[in-house]
Amino acid sequence: MKIFCTGASGYIGGSVAAHLAAAGHQVTGLVRSPEKAEAVRAFGIEPVMGTLDDGEILAQAAWAADLVVNAASADHKGAVVALLDAVSGSGKAFIHTSGSSIVGKRSRGERADDVYDEDTPITPSPARAARVALNEFILSYRDKGCRPVIVCPSLIYGIGHGAGRDSVQVPLLIKLAKKRGNAAHAGPGENIWSNVHIDDLVTLYALAIDKALAGSFYFAENGENSMREACVAINRAFGFAGPPAAMSMAEAAAEWGEGTAEDTMASNSRVRAKRARQGLGWRPQAGGLIDEIEQGCYRE
């Protein structure tokens, strides 16, 4: 197939695009600079120069492809509209990447017991209301002659398959631990995130491309851990003595920015990938988050 992928130089999009190119598909990928163009070419991806604000470029690339994977932004409605309008009436698939913080609530590092699967109603936080609305908008295109599908990853870990090597949360925790000589979490660190290895996530995208019905939504997870558990593992992996430190929310915001601190590092996001397992036959195979931190790709 001819596949157009946004975010082709990033972590998720780069991994998916590289996997599809390696499988023999003809992959083009949106990039913003000559340096990123060279980076994706190394993985068999033909670059398309532009940004998410270049609606005409996006539409032309989508029209020329058999399938679109949107992995550059979970929130850019302009790009979504340009891509979906280009594939409307064609029967083509549009695979969009969301994120499981749509179920998150600001909890300042405290544990929450709410767990969501794809059938659980969501009342999003103000910070994620627009993303949830965009997801609903995307899925409404199932009635417009195309095949919209949403993959909604939880915390992702592992080394990327393409030009973008690093995810968000674990590298942030490791970078901070190295700076301080001890891992640190926001608040008590009892907040829990479901998680998924990038290898298993790429497999889910491939299954969704092959088998997902129009209007499908899939969480992606294979276990869950608290931020404190991740920090304890970081201390063990890097030989830092003692327990992780508990930062105030002000300290966390100073390190990561308020949005990242409140909505990513100190929130809860607990989901179950029921539909991916039952409907697509997805079977995650990679090791868990704690083992990956202590024994896998994050060790130096």
Side-chain angles (χ1 to χ4, degrees), residues 2-264:
K2 295 179 180 179
I3 299 172
F4 174 58
C5 184
T6 70
S9 63
Y11 180 64
I12 300 175
S15 296
V16 174
H19 176 84
L20 294 171
H25 298 290
Q26 183 179 333
V27 182
T28 57
L30 187 71
V31 296
R32 291 174 293 180
S33 69
E35 293 77 17
K36 291 184 184 295
E38 289 305 309
V40 303
R41 278 198 185 97
F43 293 93
I45 301 157
E46 183 62 28
V48 174
M49 295 295 295
T51 73
L52 294 178
D53 295 318
D54 295 321
E56 186 172 340
I57 292 173
L58 296 177
Q60 289 175 350
W63 182 85
D66 301 313
L67 164 78
V68 176
V69 177
N70 185 34
S73 169
D75 303 304
H76 197 296
K77 186 172 183 178
V80 164
V81 170
L83 294 165
L84 280 172
D85 284 350
V87 301
S88 292
S90 68
K92 296 176 182 179
F94 174 79
I95 313 295
H96 177 74
T97 307
S98 187
S100 73
S101 64
I102 59 172
V103 308
K105 298 292 189 298
R106 293 189 171 192
S107 56
R108 305 176 68 86
E110 300 284 353
R111 174 189 171 116
D113 292 323
D114 298 331
V115 178
Y116 299 79
D117 63 30
E118 294 90 349
D119 296 316
T120 309
I122 296 172
T123 302
S125 68
R128 292 295 180 267
R131 182 177 298 181
V132 171
L134 182 59
N135 288 347
E136 293 170 354
F137 173 79
I138 290 165
L139 296 182
S140 75
Y141 270 69
R142 62 184 173 270
D143 300 321
K144 297 184 179 182
C146 59
R147 182 163 65 100
V149 175
I150 294 177
V151 177
C152 190
S154 50
L155 183 153
I156 315 170
Y157 60 96
I159 297 299
H161 296 196
R165 288 177 49 84
D166 290 325
S167 61
V168 177
Q169 289 101 323
V170 174
L172 282 178
L173 290 172
I174 291 173
K175 181 179 179 180
L176 180 60
K178 289 180 176 179
K179 183 174 98 171
R180 297 171 62 117
N182 182 36
H185 43 71
E190 298 302 334
N191 57 305
I192 296 171
W193 270 68
S194 298
N195 49 63
V196 62
H197 197 287
I198 187 65
D199 294 358
D200 291 324
L201 182 61
V202 165
T203 301
L204 177 54
Y205 274 84
L207 287 169
I209 287 168
D210 288 342
K211 300 169 64 174
L213 299 178
S216 297
F217 178 98
Y218 301 100
F219 282 125
E221 61 74 35
N222 189 37
E224 62 178 21
N225 295 97
S226 70
M227 287 295 177
R228 188 175 190 283
E229 288 173 330
C231 286
V232 168
I234 289 168
N235 272 0
R236 284 199 293 257
F238 292 92
F240 299 138
M247 294 187 293
S248 69
M249 290 308 301
E251 287 179 281
E255 289 289 347
W256 298 317
E258 181 186 357
T260 298
E262 294 279 3
D263 298 309
T264 301

